Amino acid sequence: MRIVVGVGGGIAAYKAAELVRALGQRGHDVQVVMTRAAQEFIQPLTFASLTGRKVITGLFSQNSSQDALASAVEHIAVAKENDLLVVAPATADLLAKFASGLADDFLSTLYLAFTGHVVLSPAMNTAMWEHPATQTNLETLRKRGCSIIDPEEGWLACGVTGAGRLPDPIRIADHVETLTRAKSDFSGEIVIVTAGPTQEALDPVRYISNRSSGKMGYAIAAAAARRGAHVILVSGPVQLPAPPRVQLISVKTALEMRNAVFHHLEEATIIIKSAAVADYYVANIPEQKRKKTATRLSLELDPTPDILAELGDKKGDRLLIGFAAETENLMEEARRKMHAKKCDMLVANLVNAHGLGFESDRNEVEILSRSGQTVHAGPADKNEIAERILDEVAMLRLNLRAVDATA
Ligand code: CTP
């Protein structure tokens, strides 16, 4: 795979040399881009020797006007030629530039021109890491689909102990490997992913919904598309941009979600039902707004269609992956739902754990298979959890094919 490694100006810049070497040893073709500040910490020559290529150090060549013209459009060529952009160390300054779309040097300009996957490995002083400005920038970048490798806790060069240390370069290389390894293992598959909450109207201005953000489902859709699948993402109302190369179908209610899924069922080979579907709806929505009175209001709710259960009955030989969002008895409920709804696999998570699950960027899940096997994943970024879930789906599909072949 062709990878650009962007090196930011922090003490940890020296570790980027180890990372570049590790990526090269794993067979990747690496182009290094250094910021001006990074060159204060480590020489471009180190990276040139490791990659055998010229290191890009600025937007404009200092040599001749001919060179300057060529280098002025180089960021577009580098953006087109490479599949992955890894930035390590990603300083607070770089995160701020990327988040706000500033393009005043080669790396920030490349980030804007780059359409492939971006991995950011931040490293900085603990106070800078914890500052709301940095955390808000990270949140923005996560929402855009960047993978963030959280810094480690430990002794920092500024003399304090805390979060902010660049992880071991081998760990960063491993993370890159998970993103690149199985790049095409879903090619030929047509995957329906459902995501987000549903909204059930109470009257023309009010609705019942839940706290699902859709982040997990969107991460799965993006990862499946990256791994070669044609993805049909049936999404309830969320505040997320459509992932690249994904066919997005926006719905509001459980019934609309059901109809969209069944409309595409024939073509699908895998269905991943991560949506948090409302269990009840109001069958007769009044035409006008319900008016406030001084007395108690009772609402009559009817059950929505259980899309997953219906799919379990009609799925044929398609792979069906359900989800279970629980606040207690996680494994018991997960097993019950997997069997009752005839899923091949079920991803279960506790939604009341602090900093995980609903609305969060991180998750921790148990992935159950009908064979009885359970795999634990996380706590980790939802993009990483999405890759783990797809790894398990790919494995299950291989096992089922092997069984078919021997039958
Ligand atoms: N699901 C569905 N249609 C529904 C309700 C749930 O397709 N009307 C799916 C969800 O997308 C998820 C799985 O069923 O894949 C489990 O959803 P969950 O909300 O955890 O469980 P429920 O079956 O709704 O049961 P309960 O709310 O009682 O836990």
Side-chain angles (χ1 to χ4, degrees):
M1 176 171 271
R2 286 162 308 178
I3 303 176
V4 189
V5 173
V7 185
I11 302 276
Y14 75 94
K15 289 191 187 172
E18 263 313 305
L19 170 66
V20 166
R21 186 162 60 174
L23 292 174
Q25 280 171 344
R26 294 172 191 212
H28 300 295
D29 193 358
V30 181
Q31 168 69 62
V32 174
V33 174
M34 297 178 78
T35 63
R36 201 173 45 78
Q39 295 163 55
E40 301 287 333
F41 291 93
I42 184 166
Q43 290 295 315
L45 187 59
T46 308
F47 293 109
S49 321
L50 288 168
T51 58
R53 303 174 78 159
K54 187 185 107 199
V55 171
I56 299 174
T57 52
L59 262 182
F60 302 103
S61 166
Q62 305 298 318
N63 298 337
S64 63
S65 55
Q66 195 73 30
D67 281 359
L69 183 64
S71 63
V73 290
E74 198 178 13
H75 57 281
I76 304 292
V78 175
K80 273 199 193 139
E81 280 162 11
N82 287 277
D83 311 298
L84 194 70
L85 169 61
V86 182
V87 182
T91 58
D93 177 60
L94 280 174
L95 298 178
K97 274 187 186 162
F98 293 169
S100 59
L102 268 181
D104 64 352
D105 65 2
F106 195 98
L107 191 51
S108 51
T109 311
L110 172 66
Y111 168 78
L112 279 189
F114 197 72
T115 52
H117 194 69
V118 178
V119 180
L120 303 171
S121 193
M124 64 199 72
N125 155 275
T126 308
M128 291 170 78
W129 168 251
E130 287 172 353
H131 196 285
T134 304
Q135 291 302 318
T136 306
N137 291 333
L138 279 167
E139 172 73 17
T140 304
L141 292 163
R142 270 201 185 99
K143 274 196 187 140
R144 269 182 221 155
C146 298
S147 291
I148 314 283
I149 305 177
D150 282 345
E152 289 176 350
E153 299 222 353
W155 184 85
L156 300 172
C158 53
V160 298
T161 302
R165 201 169 68 175
L166 192 77
D168 188 306
I170 301 300
R171 217 195 106 205
I172 304 175
D174 286 346
H175 184 92
V176 169
E177 207 60 34
T178 358
L179 288 171
T180 59
R181 179 184 32 170
K183 213 187 163 238
S184 56
D185 62 348
F186 278 74
S187 73
E189 302 290 355
I190 299 180
V191 182
I192 298 179
V193 180
T194 70
T198 64
Q199 278 180 2
E200 311 299 332
L202 298 179
D203 68 17
V205 295
R206 304 181 180 92
Y207 58 79
I208 313 178
S209 191
N210 60 63
R211 292 169 58 190
S212 164
S213 64
K215 287 177 186 167
M216 193 66 248
Y218 272 59
I220 294 172
R226 272 199 302 276
R227 289 164 75 150
H230 173 77
V231 179
I232 303 168
L233 174 60
V234 182
S235 172
V238 296
Q239 303 294 318
L240 298 170
R245 298 182 294 278
V246 160
Q247 182 185 346
L248 176 68
I249 302 174
S250 298
V251 297
K252 275 214 168 81
T253 66
L255 187 61
E256 285 170 16
M257 183 171 276
R258 183 229 165 257
N259 292 344
V261 168
F262 278 91
H263 185 72
H264 290 279
L265 183 61
E266 274 305 306
E267 47 192 304
T269 55
I270 300 173
I271 307 139
I272 306 181
K273 278 235 69 245
S274 63
V277 186
D279 289 329
Y280 294 96
Y281 78 117
V282 175
N284 299 310
I285 309 166
E287 269 180 30
Q288 306 304 331
K289 184 182 169 195
R290 291 173 199 269
K291 283 301 192 182
K292 178 172 64 184
T293 64
T295 56
R296 170 175 289 167
L297 171 73
S298 294
L299 285 172
E300 202 146 281
L301 301 174
D302 285 302
T304 56
D306 192 318
I307 311 166
L308 186 62
E310 193 177 344
L311 283 167
D313 285 330
K314 299 180 179 163
K315 75 184 191 76
D317 57 5
R318 297 169 188 86
L319 280 188
L320 181 60
I321 294 90
F323 271 65
E326 306 297 340
T327 52
E328 59 180 352
N329 305 329
L330 181 69
M331 296 307 284
E332 211 178 302
E333 277 301 291
R335 264 185 222 106
R336 183 184 67 75
K337 285 179 188 174
M338 178 167 67
H339 291 288
K341 303 194 189 195
K342 302 184 186 130
C343 305
D344 298 290
M345 186 179 273
L346 190 130
V347 181
N349 67 319
L350 283 175
V351 285
N352 52 350
H354 180 68
L356 297 170
F358 274 179
E359 294 171 335
S360 158
D361 290 321
R362 294 170 67 75
N363 210 353
E364 181 171 17
V365 300
E366 306 291 340
I367 309 170
L368 288 73
S369 306
R370 281 179 82 82
S371 63
Q373 180 193 295
T374 299
V375 173
H376 181 91
D381 186 279
K382 283 184 176 169
N383 291 315
E384 218 168 305
I385 299 284
E387 296 288 349
R388 293 299 313 280
I389 293 170
L390 292 183
D391 287 346
E392 292 308 315
V393 175
M395 196 90 80
L396 176 69
R397 190 192 44 187
L398 271 180
N399 290 341
L400 290 175
R401 281 188 187 153
V403 171
D404 280 354
T406 51

